Amino acid sequence: MNNQQLVQRDLQVMWHPCTQMKDHEWLPLVPIRSGKGVWLEDYDGKRYLDAISSWWVNLFGHAHPAINRALAEQAEQLEHVIMAGFTHEPAVRLAERLVAITPDRLQRVFFAENGSSAVEIALKMSFHYWLNRGQPKRQRFVSLANSYHGETLGALAVGDVALYKETYGPLLLEPIIAPAPDAYLTETGESAEAFAERRLEDMRRIFTQQGDEICAVIVEPLVQCAGYMRMYHPAYLTGLRRLCDEFDIHLIADEIAVGFGRTGSLFACEQAGISPDFMCLSKGLTAGYLPLSAVLMPDSVYQAFYHDYASLKGFLHSHSYTGYALGCTAAHATLDLFEQSDVLARNRQTAARMRSAVEALHDHPQVGDIRQHGMILAIEMVKDKASKTAYDWRERRGMRVYQHGLERGVLLRPLGNVVYFMPPYVINEEEIALMADTAIAGIEAATAA
Ligand SMILES: *Cc1c(COP(=O)(O)O)cnc(C)c1O
């Protein structure tokens, strides 16, 4: 089996995610045979540094020996069992561990299979909570401009990235979209924090006018990842928590991409010193090993559903693989790795190294912004630096950086004009240099003409 043979077979039967398949007439599909650490290897023996953690899921590298061992042992014992009416130790212990490490309001865990379904659960549960509490008028959700919460219809509806959402508009429920505290949009001289405070006034206006119709606000804490890695100041979350308390509205933190150490703290909400009412976790939860997600909520939410069966107040939501035992085992192995070494301290060093590795781009005339929250670093390519004028998306300049990266053996996958690093935490100094040098050369090439 070589690359070409597998690609030919693939293009006969497969349909890939987030892809205009016609692009593969000129853009080679990359078949991967194996992975080890930050490296992926194709069927012809060429290696690629996985600078995006395979779509933000991988934490400790591919084919990690400890996670592999744990999974093999669990597979011998129990792969999965129905979670309605039944339970198992990996799920119970994982719920205990998640409650222990997440912010204090979060006391209960509902498991699902992927990020989007976790978001659906949080939305349904918040709405249903208010209904059970005798407030049926609360039917709306607030989300931030440029947010992303997944691709299923409910999750897509509360997102705001036009590329994914616009086509399906007629099918979607309509959230109230609040302006984002995105620090890239600050006016000259204004601090990210002052800008966040201004955006909180917009939210206060929405709450004042429509608060009694609103179930919850959903946000991605600190980084809008799919929304071109736009970042904001933690003061926004602190203020939003206060507003939600004042108006009695749920705060849903979608930490699917930023949880488990990505932004520097174990959970991004910690940097704002807040606890949400619902927290959605997935992606890094299993270090990129198996699909699993969890929604955490306070005991008060649980109690609002706890009644006699005939009251029909129960939360009758399910997915076939809810609480998947092997997934829970991968999550335990992941949390064990966090306990066995000071991952966050190492990440601080790695993050500083990533930063200095792209220092040279600061004065580049086609780089409008370099922003970072911990292990996420993003570089915004612009047509005009002074006015922050974006390149026309049709020019697909990010795609040029992607192609350049593949030639040099680095998997970068820009979002529009934004080149970013979100590598597995185990990346070393030499690999950071390769990743950064490749990105810099790719940006030079993509912006040359
Ligand atoms: C990836 C992501 C989702 C969706 O998760 P899936 O597992 O892809 O369904 C939701 N919210 C955020 C913030 C994400 O990054």
Side-chain angles (χ1 to χ4, degrees):
M1 176 84 56
N2 63 26
N3 279 1
Q4 205 200 344
Q5 289 163 341
L6 191 62
V7 168
Q8 270 172 1
R9 283 169 53 194
D10 179 296
L11 294 176
Q12 291 303 311
V13 291
M14 297 268 292
W15 191 342
H16 288 262
C18 203
T19 301
Q20 169 49 266
M21 290 300 292
K22 192 164 190 288
D23 278 353
H24 285 309
E25 288 179 7
W26 53 271
L27 180 70
L29 185 64
V30 186
I32 295 300
R33 179 173 49 193
S34 63
K36 190 72 203 159
V38 299
W39 293 96
L40 298 166
E41 188 171 327
D42 73 14
Y43 285 76
D44 294 343
K46 179 169 177 177
R47 301 205 311 156
Y48 302 87
L49 194 165
D50 185 356
I52 59 159
S53 298
S54 284
W55 251 348
W56 324 339
V57 297
N58 192 291
L59 300 189
F60 297 109
H62 296 275
H64 193 287
I67 307 176
N68 285 352
R69 217 176 308 118
L71 282 175
E73 278 170 26
Q74 183 60 38
E76 292 288 334
Q77 193 165 331
L78 176 71
E79 75 301 332
H80 178 56
V81 64
I82 176 173
M83 266 281 127
F86 288 73
T87 192
H88 55 73
E89 196 267 354
V92 175
R93 195 160 59 88
L94 182 57
E96 290 168 349
R97 288 179 94 174
L98 291 176
V99 166
I101 61 174
T102 50
D104 55 6
R105 288 190 199 209
L106 306 169
Q107 297 148 333
R108 288 252 164 208
V109 182
F110 195 102
F111 285 113
E113 300 166 348
N114 58 63
S116 301
S117 58
V119 169
E120 301 282 344
I121 288 163
L123 298 175
K124 283 177 70 178
M125 211 178 251
S126 173
F127 163 78
H128 198 164
Y129 167 89
W130 294 112
L131 189 66
N132 282 356
R133 291 272 312 266
Q135 297 198 43
K137 284 212 197 80
R138 292 201 194 236
Q139 301 181 357
R140 303 203 64 188
F141 296 96
V142 182
S143 55
L144 296 181
N146 188 46
S147 57
Y148 178 89
H149 297 289
E151 308 276 356
T152 54
L153 293 177
L156 190 64
V158 291
D160 184 47
V161 178
L163 181 62
Y164 309 127
K165 180 173 175 177
E166 220 157 66
T167 309
Y168 307 100
L171 306 182
L172 304 176
L173 60 89
E174 281 182 38
I176 300 163
I177 304 278
D182 178 356
Y184 187 63
L185 305 177
T186 50
E187 281 161 27
T188 324
E190 188 179 29
S191 73
E193 187 170 2
F195 187 63
E197 296 295 343
R198 265 206 298 136
R199 290 313 202 202
L200 285 167
E201 288 166 27
D202 297 312
M203 193 63 91
R204 174 177 285 284
R205 215 166 298 126
I206 291 169
F207 282 9
T208 305
Q209 287 166 4
Q210 293 170 276
D212 54 358
E213 305 166 21
I214 297 169
C215 303
V217 183
I218 181 166
V219 297
E220 296 156 273
L222 300 187
V223 188
Q224 298 187 308
C225 293
Y228 309 95
M229 297 292 168
R230 292 296 178 82
M231 302 182 181
Y232 60 89
H233 196 278
Y236 186 78
L237 295 171
T238 315
L240 186 59
R241 174 70 273 177
R242 240 182 278 124
L243 279 177
C244 286
D245 283 337
E246 186 182 330
F247 287 84
D248 206 14
I249 287 168
H250 285 143
L251 175 56
I252 303 173
D254 174 353
E255 294 234 9
I256 290 165
V258 295
F260 299 99
R262 261 303 156 195
T263 66
S265 44
L266 191 56
F267 299 103
C269 281
E270 293 171 25
Q271 293 180 48
I274 64 146
S275 175
D277 301 296
F278 294 88
M279 185 183 267
C280 300
L281 300 172
S282 189
K283 293 199 166 115
L285 174 61
T286 63
Y289 258 74
L290 286 167
L292 182 73
S293 64
V295 185
L296 286 92
M297 73 289 300
D299 203 51
S300 56
V301 170
Y302 177 77
Q303 293 302 338
F305 291 78
Y306 196 86
H307 288 278
D308 294 331
Y309 184 81
S311 72
L312 294 178
K313 287 186 171 176
F315 189 63
L316 304 184
H317 181 109
S318 66
H319 294 288
S320 310
Y321 286 94
T322 295
Y324 185 44
L326 283 172
C328 293
T329 298
H332 282 297
T334 303
L335 293 178
D336 290 346
L337 291 170
F338 274 98
E339 283 175 8
Q340 284 158 16
S341 72
D342 195 342
V343 175
L344 299 180
R346 185 181 190 278
N347 281 359
R348 274 193 290 279
Q349 286 182 353
T350 307
R353 284 199 184 113
M354 294 202 304
R355 182 85 198 186
S356 48
V358 294
E359 210 57 52
L361 284 177
H362 260 285
D363 299 322
H364 193 286
Q366 258 60 59
V367 170
D369 191 31
I370 302 177
R371 47 185 178 264
Q372 183 176 24
H373 262 309
M375 289 296 290
I376 308 175
L377 185 145
I379 303 156
E380 182 113 17
M381 298 187 288
V382 289
K383 190 170 171 190
D384 183 71
K385 194 176 179 109
S387 63
K388 296 184 183 171
T389 307
Y391 282 113
D392 188 329
W393 63 271
R394 291 177 201 84
E395 293 170 12
R396 301 186 79 178
R397 292 186 186 254
M399 177 64 87
R400 300 185 206 172
V401 178
Y402 173 72
Q403 290 177 286
H404 175 91
L406 287 185
E407 278 163 28
R408 306 287 175 90
V410 179
L411 166 50
L412 298 161
R413 197 171 190 281
L415 292 153
N417 296 319
V418 176
V419 180
Y420 69 91
F421 304 146
M422 198 158 164
Y425 301 163
V426 294
I427 191 168
N428 67 28
E429 221 171 327
E430 210 178 308
E431 291 157 348
I432 291 171
L434 172 67
M435 173 174 78
D437 292 346
T438 304
I440 293 169
I443 289 167
E444 293 285 358
T447 58

